[in-house]
Amino acid sequence: MTPEPARRLFTVDEFHRMAEAGILGEDDRVELIEGELIEMTPIGSRHAACVKRILHTLAPHSGNPWLLSVQDPIALDPRTELQPDIALLKPRPDYYASAHPRPRDVVLIIEVADTSAAADREVKLPLYAKAGIPEVWLVDLPGGVIEVYRDPGETAYRTAQTLHPGDPTLPIPGTSLRLAPEQVLCA
């Protein structure tokens, strides 16, 4: 039996040093997931349009209860740094110039999935739960639903809810703002 070759896992600090050294460029679409560099799915026009629509809806409310972050890094632990489509962050005077946000800084994550829903459910959601991210919305474009995950546990969220067009509005955590599923689904 041939032994499997040893894998070299990276830390978030090493990941950043690769970018500083020019090994990874700004246009490289990669995330660090449990020490491995994972190439992200290219963003299609439907996905991009959905992100823009959600931003257009949320942007007027940004700044007081939370900061709006778009496809920016969030360091979940020393070996994982993801780039969710949208994150609502607790405000900081430096706008996170001194360090990327950590799980304690996150109010809500919104992942838009056109082709990646299964991978987001199987890989990212458990990582967000383990890190203690309080709420994640998975916008499943092909399925035409929003999956809302709350109450993070060690390996999964304890509560999940699936919303369809016409269902009741979704509250934005910590605010009185509510969004109709139609505002998020971007049909």
Side-chain angles (χ1 to χ4, degrees):
M1 177 181 260
T2 306
E4 188 175 316
R7 297 164 78 184
R8 168 64 163 90
L9 301 179
F10 298 97
T11 66
V12 170
D13 289 336
E14 291 168 328
F15 180 52
H16 287 237
R17 285 198 301 270
M18 283 189 268
E20 291 165 7
I23 296 167
L24 296 172
E26 275 189 22
D27 294 331
D28 287 323
R29 291 196 26 87
V30 294
E31 291 179 306
L32 185 66
I33 297 179
E34 295 185 320
E36 294 186 69
L37 295 176
I38 305 296
E39 192 168 348
M40 296 169 63
T41 306
I43 296 174
S45 59
R46 185 173 178 202
H47 180 284
C50 188
V51 170
K52 286 180 190 82
R53 183 172 176 179
I54 296 168
L55 291 174
H56 180 77
T57 302
L58 293 176
H61 307 282
S62 181
N64 191 0
W66 35 260
L67 296 174
L68 193 54
S69 177
V70 184
Q71 297 170 341
D72 291 330
I74 295 179
L76 298 183
D77 63 42
R79 290 199 182 274
T80 302
E81 185 174 274
L82 300 180
Q83 296 175 25
D85 290 306
I86 299 169
L88 304 184
L89 306 173
K90 294 175 184 171
R92 266 189 18 194
D94 73 345
Y95 290 83
Y96 296 92
S98 60
H100 289 310
R102 302 280 189 229
R104 67 182 173 271
D105 302 312
V106 177
V107 175
L108 169 68
I109 285 186
I110 302 173
E111 289 282 8
V112 175
D114 196 3
T115 60
S116 64
D120 288 348
R121 274 186 215 99
E122 295 167 16
V123 177
K124 290 187 177 184
L125 281 171
L127 293 170
Y128 288 140
K130 182 179 177 184
I133 303 294
E135 187 165 333
V136 177
W137 297 358
L138 177 61
V139 181
D140 181 347
L141 293 176
V145 298
I146 305 164
E147 299 170 15
V148 178
Y149 296 89
R150 296 183 180 114
D151 194 15
E154 271 301 306
T155 59
Y157 283 90
R158 293 182 189 99
T159 62
Q161 176 183 15
T162 301
L163 297 174
H164 300 84
D167 281 349
T169 58
L170 280 162
I172 300 291
T175 73
S176 60
L177 180 64
R178 300 180 71 84
L179 298 179
E182 297 80 22
Q183 292 175 286
V184 179
L185 282 169
C186 315

